[in-house]
Amino acid sequence: LRLKGGDAEALKELVLKGRKAIGPNALTWGFEMHMQDGRLAGVVIPEGSIDDVQIASLYQQALFLLKKKYYDSSISIFTEILEVSSKYAEVYIGRGEAYRRKGLLKLAISDFNKVLEINSNSPQAYHNRGAAYCEKGQYDIAISDYNKAIYLNPYSFITYAEIGRSYEETGRCNLGILNINKALEINSKYSTAY
């Protein structure tokens, strides 16, 4: 499988972050990236690591487009994948995140709900759904989702920071500061928390 063009380092970083965020059963698991002259020369997918190489290729393209802020294009590709197979939670996470970034919060929440039907232990789905509720101004629901994400991944400094901001929006500044301090305790270099 060969992917041509684009920002190779950004794609490489995205794949590596995707493995950590989504887990060992993700479509990205098992990919090998080959670089040549600072550009992406190819992606090798070991046989049997995923169900369908074409789906994996489309998924990587959609993630790359999402990272580059081509939301409509990424949504189209994520939707194309879901028309073939609706079993991949990470595809719903990607499309939901693209919807959220476009401000289509109802659609984003719907996709994050679908993830939770597939995998009720997805901290990423709870975190992303919390972000969508936060953007809708429904801070108490956002806090509940963020807390579920923290329960599943207690080292998510980003989620702690988001809980803190949500508490501050509801006037509960002491709880906000407590959670932001927890984020900084986990990662003191997380400048967004300051």
Side-chain angles (χ1 to χ4, degrees):
L1 172 67
R2 294 223 177 241
L3 302 177
K4 296 181 181 181
D7 183 346
E9 285 303 311
L11 182 57
K12 182 177 180 180
E13 178 183 308
L14 187 63
V15 169
L16 294 175
K17 283 183 181 177
R19 286 184 189 172
K20 292 175 188 166
I22 299 169
N25 295 322
L27 291 173
T28 56
W29 196 254
F31 277 56
E32 279 181 48
M33 304 194 76
H34 296 278
M35 309 296 284
Q36 184 174 355
D37 299 322
R39 298 193 54 79
L40 183 66
V43 177
V44 177
I45 304 168
E47 189 174 334
S49 64
I50 59 170
D51 293 337
D52 190 321
V53 172
Q54 185 177 9
I55 288 175
S57 174
L58 288 170
Y59 176 70
Q60 291 305 315
Q61 291 172 40
L63 285 178
F64 185 75
L65 292 167
L66 175 61
K67 183 170 176 97
K68 292 296 184 181
K69 301 180 181 179
Y70 294 107
Y71 303 129
D72 290 330
S73 297
S74 69
I75 288 168
S76 285
I77 294 172
F78 285 130
T79 301
E80 183 181 339
I81 295 168
L82 291 170
E83 288 171 354
V84 173
S85 177
S86 61
K87 69 180 181 180
Y88 297 115
E90 59 269 33
V91 176
Y92 284 105
I93 286 175
R95 188 175 72 175
E97 185 59 15
Y99 282 143
R100 187 185 70 79
R101 291 181 188 181
K102 279 194 68 169
L104 301 171
L105 302 177
K106 186 175 182 179
L107 291 171
I109 290 167
S110 177
D111 273 2
F112 300 137
N113 288 338
K114 187 66 177 169
V115 172
L116 294 168
E117 289 174 20
I118 296 168
N119 176 9
S120 63
N121 292 318
S122 171
Q124 189 68 44
Y126 283 115
H127 176 97
N128 290 15
R129 191 173 73 178
Y133 279 121
C134 191
E135 289 176 26
K136 288 182 76 171
Q138 296 177 315
Y139 299 109
D140 287 329
I141 298 171
I143 290 166
S144 176
D145 274 352
Y146 287 142
N147 280 321
K148 289 173 187 169
I150 288 294
Y151 176 78
L152 295 166
N153 180 8
Y155 301 103
S156 177
F157 56 91
I158 295 170
T159 304
Y160 275 111
E162 294 303 320
I163 293 171
R165 286 190 196 92
S166 295
Y167 275 125
E168 288 176 356
E169 288 291 333
T170 63
R172 296 176 277 181
C173 294
N174 288 341
L175 289 171
I177 291 168
L178 182 74
N179 280 280
I180 289 172
N181 285 339
K182 182 65 177 176
L184 293 171
E185 181 183 311
I186 295 168
N187 182 353
S188 62
K189 296 180 181 180
Y190 185 54
S191 60
T192 305
Y194 289 104

